[in-house]
Amino acid sequence: LHFFLCTHFANTSLMESSYIQDCGFSDTVFYRGRFASVSSVLIWFSKISLTVWLLFLQGFAGADMCSWPQPPSPGVDVIGKFQCTRFNRGFANIWASDHQIVAYDQSSVQIMLDKSSGTGFKTRVTYVHGFFSAAIKLPTNNYTAGVITTFYASNAELYPNIHDEIDFEFLGRIPGEDYVLQTNVYGNGSTNTGREQRILLWFDPSAEFHQYSILWTSESIIFLVDNIPIREFTNTNVLNGQYPAKRMYIYATIWDGSDWATDGGKYKANYTYAPFVASYSNLILSACATQGSEVPAICYTDDGLPFWKQIPTTLTKSQRASMDWVKSNYMIYDYCQDTQRYPTPLPECRKVAEAGEPWEGWEEL
């Protein structure tokens, strides 16, 4: 704008001598008329430049807005097959009840982390196999590094030395970065053997609720996001018993994991941004419930699952295509391809040739 004013008004009486000098020209030059031809050229050039700039802005305004690519349809509405569980009928607070707010109609719950405490809730009974699901809206704070929000199954308090676990873990972010969703599986005390996979999501998980589900059978564990399978962990002989098989509680927690959550612990939780609030709704517990420590024999067969006729317990062709799309576009870490951590891949990892690539990778069986 400064250049345009200088060139446009340089030969007019509208421009004071002091402003001419501010433009970097001598007023003597102007008053002698020696700048007339140069000024005309500059005015012409500035008009051309302004026209080009306006055309660029017009083209930009008419351009299509960017959007997240959407996964192909899995072809199966898993979530729609189930009724939701009221909080007070299926769950109870674990600790710091003052950091938890349950809706009046028991349809949803908020859990909060601040400098004094995190909090969490779990199911009132244990389950062996089933479908577990929750709609979750992650903390909206601009900075959530170090904050871990979870939805998972575990029996660590029942079998501390040989516990099983199936995890959804949402790892906090720094400004300008995305949340990371980590899934993990422990079986029969295999806590020294991490089987983590990490993905980014094709949406902002703090903007609205999205459904996260675990389908656990004797044959496999399937993780789903909004009906989209993102991981399948298959029970095979090569696992040597490291597959979740004992009764578990279902948990949801929020806590400070600064030691490792964000960039390996590089960024810590910053409580000037607190409180960090995660919301849970559409809670689903469709599973084989146990009576105390007694586990009905039917729970160890798929016939014991209340939904076994409602949804496929193995992936269909369209579901697998959706899962492959997620892995191809959004996976950022897979333990099967971490050769520094596991120079010899774990036995359930199989070698696969990457299409079009001169190297070979590994993936879960």
Side-chain angles (χ1 to χ4, degrees), residues 9 65 95 106 122 124 128 149 187 205 210 212 281 322 325 330 346 348 350:
F9 296 113
M65 296 299 292
W95 87 100
Q106 302 290 319
K122 72 173 186 177
R124 295 179 178 273
V128 175
T149 308
H210 290 270
Y212 304 90
S281 185
S322 296
W325 180 89
Y330 290 98
L346 297 181
E348 72 272 16
R350 65 183 179 188

Side-chain angles (χ1 to χ4, degrees), residues 176-225:
E177 299 292 335
D178 297 318
Y179 273 103
V180 173
L181 171 55
Q182 174 171 284
T183 58
N184 199 5
V185 177
Y186 294 126
N188 206 30
S190 60
T191 54
N192 292 327
T193 305
R195 291 181 164 92
E196 301 92 345
Q197 288 185 357
R198 298 186 194 117
I199 67 167
L200 302 177
L201 293 163
W202 50 98
F203 52 82
D204 180 356
S206 69
E208 57 188 0
F209 283 92
H210 290 270
Q211 199 81 22
Y212 304 90
S213 310
I214 296 169
L215 174 58
W216 170 35
T217 71
S218 59
E219 296 179 353
S220 66
I221 297 164
I222 300 173
F223 297 85
L224 303 101
V225 176

Side-chain angles (χ1 to χ4, degrees), residues 109-151:
V109 57
Q110 291 184 328
I111 56 178
M112 178 182 71
L113 169 68
D114 60 20
K115 194 171 184 178
S116 65
S117 180
T119 190
F121 59 90
K122 72 173 186 177
T123 53
R124 295 179 178 273
V125 300
T126 56
Y127 301 89
V128 175
H129 305 143
F131 182 80
F132 313 99
S133 186
I136 305 173
K137 183 174 180 288
L138 297 183
T140 59
N141 314 59
N142 192 38
Y143 184 102
T144 57
V147 178
I148 299 179
T149 308
T150 71
F151 181 66

Side-chain angles (χ1 to χ4, degrees), residues 12 28 73 97 115 197 220-221 231 238 254 268 299 325 353:
T12 71
T28 306
S73 172
S97 59
K115 194 171 184 178
Q197 288 185 357
S220 66
I221 297 164
R231 181 179 183 181
V238 299
I254 187 168
K268 312 295 184 182
C299 288
W325 180 89

Side-chain angles (χ1 to χ4, degrees), residues 12-299:
T12 71
S13 60
L14 296 175
M15 199 168 192
E16 295 292 337
S17 175
S18 59
Y19 194 88
I20 293 173
Q21 290 177 340
D22 288 341
C23 290
F25 307 117
S26 169
D27 58 344
T28 306
V29 173
F30 283 95
Y31 289 137
R32 290 179 181 177
R34 295 178 181 176
F35 193 72
S37 59
V38 176
S39 177
S40 298
V41 172
L42 291 175
I43 292 170
W44 175 80
F45 179 77
S46 66
K47 289 181 178 179
I48 293 290
S49 300
L50 183 60
T51 301
V52 172
W53 176 245
L54 290 174
L55 287 173
F56 170 77
L57 289 177
Q58 183 180 9
F60 181 78
D64 293 334
M65 296 299 292
C66 295
S67 61
W68 292 97
Q70 294 299 307
S73 172
V76 180
D77 179 13
V78 177
I79 301 166
K81 304 293 185 181
F82 303 101
Q83 293 184 341
C84 294
T85 301
R86 297 293 179 183
F87 182 85
N88 58 350
R89 298 194 59 170
F91 300 89
N93 174 260
I94 308 172
W95 87 100
S97 59
D98 60 329
H99 283 55
Q100 177 177 295
I101 300 175
V102 181
Y104 179 78
D105 63 358
Q106 302 290 319
S107 64
S108 62
V109 57
Q110 291 184 328
I111 56 178
M112 178 182 71
L113 169 68
D114 60 20
K115 194 171 184 178
S116 65
S117 180
T119 190
F121 59 90
K122 72 173 186 177
T123 53
R124 295 179 178 273
V125 300
T126 56
Y127 301 89
V128 175
H129 305 143
F131 182 80
F132 313 99
S133 186
I136 305 173
K137 183 174 180 288
L138 297 183
T140 59
N141 314 59
N142 192 38
Y143 184 102
T144 57
V147 178
I148 299 179
T149 308
T150 71
F151 181 66
Y152 68 103
S154 176
N155 51 32
E157 61 184 276
L158 300 173
Y159 313 102
N161 298 320
I162 53 170
H163 94 272
D164 305 318
E165 194 165 310
I166 306 170
D167 296 330
F168 274 118
E169 296 171 315
F170 301 90
L171 311 183
R173 63 188 176 185
I174 59 174
E177 299 292 335
D178 297 318
Y179 273 103
V180 173
L181 171 55
Q182 174 171 284
T183 58
N184 199 5
V185 177
Y186 294 126
N188 206 30
S190 60
T191 54
N192 292 327
T193 305
R195 291 181 164 92
E196 301 92 345
Q197 288 185 357
R198 298 186 194 117
I199 67 167
L200 302 177
L201 293 163
W202 50 98
F203 52 82
D204 180 356
S206 69
E208 57 188 0
F209 283 92
H210 290 270
Q211 199 81 22
Y212 304 90
S213 310
I214 296 169
L215 174 58
W216 170 35
T217 71
S218 59
E219 296 179 353
S220 66
I221 297 164
I222 300 173
F223 297 85
L224 303 101
V225 176
D226 292 340
N227 280 321
I228 306 294
I230 63 168
R231 181 179 183 181
E232 179 185 34
F233 186 80
T234 305
N235 187 10
T236 66
N237 292 332
V238 299
L239 288 173
N240 196 27
Q242 294 184 1
Y243 183 85
K246 299 183 290 295
R247 63 191 181 104
M248 292 194 277
Y249 290 102
I250 310 304
Y251 295 82
T253 60
I254 187 168
W255 49 284
D256 187 334
S258 291
D259 289 347
W260 65 272
T262 307
D263 254 1
K266 179 179 178 181
Y267 300 101
K268 312 295 184 182
N270 185 339
Y271 289 102
T272 61
Y273 293 91
F276 305 101
V277 179
S279 301
Y280 292 72
S281 185
N282 290 357
L283 299 163
I284 297 173
L285 299 172
S286 183
C288 197
T290 65
Q291 303 298 322
S293 60
E294 296 296 323
V295 180
I298 197 172
C299 288

